[in-house]
Amino acid sequence: MRALPVGDDALLVEVASGEEAQALHAELLRRRAAGSLSVREIVPAARTVLLDGLADPARLAFELTTAAVPPAPPRAREVVELPVRYDGPDLTDVAAQWGVAPREVARIHADTEFSVAFCGFAPGFGYLTGLPPRYDVPRRATPRTAVPAGAVALAGPYTGVYPRSSPGGWQLIGTTDSVLWDHTRVPAALLSPGTRVRFVPVGSS
């Protein structure tokens, strides 16, 4: 673990894996809830956690780098279910990379329970983990100039759902009508780090 200063009152903590980042994020949230950590923002990413608004970043950096972080606690029991039509234009290509039929891609994906590792790229976009490493797929060689809102996509070890139309290079395997980001909703984001997610097939695939 490395803790790097960012400005006068922030730290960027680097760890070795996504699992360690999730465990550190959970521990920092626990400390803040218990009142033992005063921090304005705690932002997880793939292998880092950013802490902003610290009174004494150097002291916390020393504490984090000299003590073991406990494993992340069991996930919350609630599961967000996203209805999905497995009708994406890259479904056949993903099936070929997995060595299975397109219907089997849908089955494997829908049988997996995902967890939001972190959020980014666009408001409401969650990076979901859960598929075994053998199902990692590369990004497209040529990104699309416009991916529609609700597109369910794969890239590397992650599944994601585009909350709005935007350019993108992920492999599109399906479509959901769920609203990932609504500024009139509290909270605005349907998915947040730690949220458990399942995709529920609807229609034909």
Side-chain angles (χ1 to χ4, degrees), residues 24-202:
L24 177 60
H25 179 237
E27 171 64 9
L28 294 169
L29 290 177
R30 185 197 66 76
R31 292 189 188 185
R32 183 167 67 177
S36 61
L37 174 63
S38 177
V39 61
R40 185 168 56 247
E41 296 285 346
I42 305 174
V43 184
R47 291 181 178 84
T48 63
V49 180
L50 176 69
L51 296 99
D52 188 28
L54 295 168
D56 191 349
R59 180 182 62 81
L60 181 61
F62 177 78
E63 290 179 6
L64 292 177
T65 55
T66 56
V69 175
R75 298 170 184 169
R77 296 178 64 183
E78 296 79 8
V79 178
V80 173
E81 293 188 344
L82 301 179
V84 58
R85 297 179 297 279
Y86 286 98
D87 57 1
D90 299 322
L91 184 64
T92 300
D93 289 343
V94 170
Q97 293 179 58
W98 286 9
V100 301
R103 283 185 175 271
E104 188 69 1
V105 172
R107 185 195 65 77
I108 293 168
H109 194 259
D111 283 352
T112 301
E113 183 179 286
F114 294 88
S115 177
V116 181
F118 58 96
C119 297
F121 169 63
F125 188 96
Y127 289 76
L128 281 62
T129 57
L131 285 171
R134 66 181 178 276
Y135 296 126
D136 288 7
V137 295
R139 288 172 170 78
R140 288 173 50 85
T142 303
R144 293 180 170 88
T145 57
V147 175
V152 178
L154 306 179
Y158 301 113
T159 289
V161 181
Y162 284 77
R164 63 186 183 193
S165 179
S166 63
W170 289 34
Q171 308 278 357
L172 308 184
I173 63 168
T175 310
T176 181
D177 294 327
S178 297
V179 178
L180 277 292
W181 178 266
D182 181 354
H183 68 90
T184 66
R185 182 173 59 197
V186 179
L190 180 62
L191 306 180
S192 59
T195 301
R196 297 165 61 196
V197 179
R198 278 196 175 275
F199 292 88
V200 180
V202 295

